[in-house]
Amino acid sequence: MARCFCRWCNVLFCLCTLCICLALLFIYISVMVCMSMNGGAQKSLETLHFVASGTCKNKNFASHPKAFWEVTPDRDAFWNQLQLAIDRHFNPILRPNNTKRRSENSNIHESLLRKSYSEVTNLDSTKRNFDELPQEMQDFVRHMQRRDYPTLIQPDGVCGAGAKDEKEPVMLLLAIKTTKLNFQNRQAIRQTWGQAGWVAGKMSNRNGGEEAGGYVRRVFLLGKEESQELDEALLQLLQIESNLYEDILQWDFNDTFFNLTLKDVLFWSWFSHFCSQTRFVFKGDDDVFLNTPKMINYLQDQLKKPQAHKTIKDFMVGDVIDVAIPIRVNNSKYFIPDSFYKGFYPPYAGGGGVVYSGLLIKRLHYMSKRVHMFPIDDVFVGMCMIRLNAYPVHHPAFLTFDFPEKEGEELCAYHTILLVHKRSPTEVVRLWTDMKKTQRQCWDVPLRAADKNKIKQTL
Ligand SMILES: *[C@@H]1O[C@H](CO)[C@@H](O)[C@H](O)[C@H]1NC(C)=O
Ligand SMILES: *[C@@H]1O[C@H](CO)[C@@H](O)[C@H](O)[C@H]1NC(C)=O
Ligand SMILES: *[C@@H]1O[C@H](CO)[C@@H](O)[C@H](O)[C@H]1NC(C)=O
Ligand SMILES: *[C@@H]1O[C@H](CO)[C@@H](O)[C@H](O)[C@H]1NC(C)=O
């Protein structure tokens, strides 16, 4: 009798334990569901951001939408409408076949761009909005389909001006955006940070005679002057300059602000033809100061990293702007009306220049054929990057807005940076001489780390 009672006790005990476990499990699941619903609500606000195909590595930025079939509220803006059809075509969920088809050539991409352009521009709503766009933007929209501008002057079958007998692949190609009139800027760059040839990185005496460094090449990217008389007058001068230095790459389009994106697109195409061995490219303005020796060191460090063979194909570094919104003030140079583009910009490297890998350029060249031109060149690059699922890396040694107070006067200041924006040709020459003088004392100072002053300003 007692034994029987005991057995019932055991059964009861087991059942109770099971019940308690189930109850706990229920509570746990309920809590989790509630939490994820709240989180989901917040996230769905975030997904109103710029939306692109491909997954997002950056947690701060919107991921691709949970419900990919949802109508995005941004679709009534001109550029968003243009791009929507293309992004849908390559959406791996909506059209699995299109993304798998590896053999798809660029002709198909171009015809897709043309098709979406003619569809959207024929809409009545677009026609109505078009007249309200500022004059330059109307001009941009009229010509944004065209990309096949011929080259007028180019280096003779080589990847820019360099050393005659390079013994290893080019480490860094300097691709500098300039205009015909900025002859002085080009001359200052040629004599200073843009010298082609071997650039020594680490001081050889410290490495026991081991020579570290890399070959540097240089090319200037130009369009035509807007006024025809000026353009013709300067043509001969530019031709002489080209014969002398072999570093001029000029295309047959008007060199205006909204045409700068063409410089990227056409440069990528030229690069893919002529620069197969080049490891890295600096692309920037002709009014910056670049610390080339430190840059060579920095890039060599990137190549030595353990996972380099994987990371280099995505490599882009600069002053990165993470979640920017278009400027809606109509007297700004960067003004983008919301009838043209809605949503956030993707992360992009702005300021005076960026450095990216040759491998990435080839991928960008391919991807650029699936993205409609955008009037702001840095943003366009960002749009191509996000579609490659690649993200630019921020480095505080790229100074878009100069040194914080007084810091620039310190003896070794210019040895701590990779780039600083807005320096006149005379300043560039003076800074370069100063840097050579302080080379020995300052060589070991590290590059600028996190920008404390910037954080203070935003607080
Ligand atoms: C995708 O490809 C498969 C086989 O290649 C084909 O049977 C199918 O109809 C295609 N689907 C679409 C939506 O084109
Ligand atoms: C270049 O710009 C000028 C001035 O805006 C204009 O007169 C000229 O027609 C343009 N050239 C081309 C090829 O569009
Ligand atoms: C870009 O260049 C082309 C060719 O010169 C010109 O027709 C067009 O007007 C330019 N676009 C802008 C926005 O200036
Ligand atoms: C800029 O905007 C203001 C007010 O929003 C308007 O009065 C002005 O005409 C605009 N200017 C241009 C050039 O569109």
Side-chain angles (χ1 to χ4, degrees):
M1 187 68 197
R3 207 188 284 162
C4 190
F5 176 72
C6 222
R7 194 185 296 152
W8 278 110
C9 262
N10 279 343
V11 171
L12 208 64
F13 179 72
C14 280
L15 279 176
C16 280
T17 321
L18 197 67
C19 283
I20 291 171
C21 282
L22 280 175
L24 283 175
L25 191 68
F26 176 75
I27 293 170
Y28 174 75
I29 290 174
S30 314
V31 169
M32 288 309 281
V33 167
C34 281
M35 273 170 62
S36 74
M37 274 167 75
N38 285 342
Q42 268 168 13
K43 273 211 194 91
S44 75
L45 282 179
E46 276 171 26
T47 48
L48 298 183
H49 290 191
F50 172 83
V51 166
S53 58
T55 49
C56 218
K57 279 185 210 154
N58 186 346
K59 288 207 185 70
N60 296 327
F61 198 71
S63 56
H64 58 170
K66 285 256 161 25
F68 61 86
W69 55 87
E70 238 172 44
V71 174
T72 50
D74 304 336
R75 62 181 303 185
D76 56 330
F78 178 68
W79 195 91
N80 303 61
Q81 281 184 52
L82 283 179
Q83 193 58 33
L84 191 68
I86 316 276
D87 284 343
R88 287 224 160 147
H89 181 86
F90 293 107
N91 185 320
I93 303 169
L94 287 173
R95 315 269 165 82
N97 282 7
N98 294 343
T99 23
K100 274 191 216 126
R101 232 181 285 149
R102 282 260 149 249
S103 60
E104 197 166 85
N105 60 21
S106 55
N107 290 343
I108 297 183
H109 299 172
E110 276 156 24
S111 72
L112 277 172
L113 288 180
R114 270 201 304 277
K115 197 169 141 232
S116 82
Y117 182 81
S118 61
E119 273 168 14
V120 174
T121 44
N122 282 333
L123 294 175
D124 285 339
S125 58
T126 315
K127 283 181 187 148
R128 244 177 288 128
N129 285 338
F130 182 78
D131 297 328
E132 280 157 31
L133 292 177
Q135 202 56 48
E136 304 94 69
M137 194 151 273
Q138 290 190 11
D139 203 22
F140 171 82
V141 171
R142 268 192 215 104
H143 298 101
M144 69 187 284
Q145 280 304 91
R146 187 163 173 218
R147 297 184 183 196
D148 59 340
Y149 295 99
T151 41
L152 296 174
I153 302 177
Q154 60 175 327
D156 196 11
V158 289
C159 174
K164 279 282 166 285
D165 31 33
E166 289 156 357
K167 294 182 199 76
E168 51 187 85
V170 176
M171 186 68 172
L172 181 63
L173 169 69
L174 307 167
I176 304 143
K177 291 181 284 176
T178 179
T179 57
K180 273 193 187 177
L181 287 171
N182 284 1
F183 173 75
Q184 279 197 322
N185 298 50
R186 290 196 287 282
Q187 212 50 16
I189 291 170
R190 285 181 182 122
Q191 289 160 11
T192 59
W193 60 263
Q195 282 170 35
W198 177 263
V199 172
K202 296 219 168 55
M203 294 287 261
S204 45
N205 56 353
R206 298 191 80 254
N207 283 351
E210 185 203 335
E211 204 176 14
Y215 284 105
V216 171
R217 281 179 178 251
R218 176 189 66 232
V219 69
F220 289 103
L221 315 176
L222 298 95
K224 283 190 313 181
E225 277 311 310
E226 271 193 80
S227 120
Q228 202 157 5
E229 295 105 72
L230 190 60
D231 191 70
E232 273 161 20
L234 291 171
L235 183 65
Q236 277 196 324
L237 287 177
L238 197 68
Q239 192 63 59
I240 295 170
E241 213 181 317
S242 169
N243 295 343
L244 213 54
Y245 300 107
E246 278 284 318
D247 60 0
I248 301 287
L249 179 52
Q250 190 201 17
W251 293 280
D252 189 11
F253 62 78
N254 265 359
D255 214 338
T256 58
F257 180 64
F258 280 171
N259 261 347
L260 281 180
T261 311
L262 277 174
K263 282 194 187 172
D264 285 273
V265 171
L266 295 172
F267 169 68
W268 293 343
S269 168
W270 176 83
F271 180 90
S272 304
H273 277 106
F274 292 103
C275 306
S276 57
Q277 295 287 302
T278 305
R279 294 236 160 88
F280 296 99
V281 171
F282 163 80
K283 199 218 80 184
D285 297 342
D286 63 358
D287 60 350
V288 303
F289 180 80
L290 189 75
N291 185 345
T292 324
K294 273 278 162 87
M295 183 64 84
I296 292 283
N297 266 0
Y298 172 75
L299 294 175
Q300 257 160 353
D301 291 345
Q302 304 309 307
L303 288 175
K304 280 185 210 133
K305 283 189 174 167
Q307 292 292 308
H309 62 288
K310 282 188 193 152
T311 52
I312 291 296
K313 72 178 189 3
D314 284 348
F315 180 81
M316 178 183 277
V317 64
D319 182 7
V320 174
I321 299 145
D322 240 334
V323 189
I325 45 172
I327 289 179
R328 306 295 193 197
V329 190
N330 69 5
N331 55 13
S332 162
K333 177 167 127 173
Y334 300 95
F335 171 56
I336 299 287
D338 65 355
S339 61
F340 184 81
Y341 180 80
K342 272 194 194 145
F344 287 72
Y345 286 151
Y348 67 92
V354 294
V355 174
Y356 42 17
S357 69
L359 290 175
L360 180 60
I361 293 201
K362 284 176 197 157
R363 299 173 66 217
L364 284 168
H365 172 54
Y366 175 76
M367 187 48 79
S368 69
K369 293 172 183 164
R370 296 186 191 178
V371 185
H372 278 284
M373 299 280 260
F374 194 82
I376 300 172
D377 55 347
D378 297 339
V379 174
F380 175 79
V381 178
M383 285 167 166
C384 294
M385 286 288 280
I386 202 170
R387 283 168 175 80
L388 286 171
N389 197 21
Y391 293 85
V393 182
H394 179 75
H395 199 303
F398 284 77
L399 289 184
T400 307
F401 300 108
D402 220 318
F403 287 97
E405 264 177 86
K406 295 266 160 79
E407 207 187 297
E409 292 159 26
E410 285 166 22
L411 181 71
C412 295
Y414 284 84
H415 294 266
T416 66
I417 54 138
L418 293 171
L419 173 141
V420 62
H421 194 198
K422 289 263 180 277
R423 290 290 181 275
S424 70
T426 0
E427 280 172 322
V428 164
V429 174
R430 184 175 54 77
L431 287 173
W432 186 254
T433 356
D434 286 354
M435 225 175 70
K436 288 278 153 203
K437 275 189 214 145
T438 51
Q439 184 106 329
R440 246 161 219 293
Q441 295 146 273
C442 295
W443 184 255
D444 282 329
V445 296
L447 287 177
R448 283 169 62 82
D451 198 341
K452 285 181 225 119
N453 288 54
K454 204 169 174 181
I455 295 164
K456 243 188 263 157
Q457 274 169 16
T458 52
L459 278 179

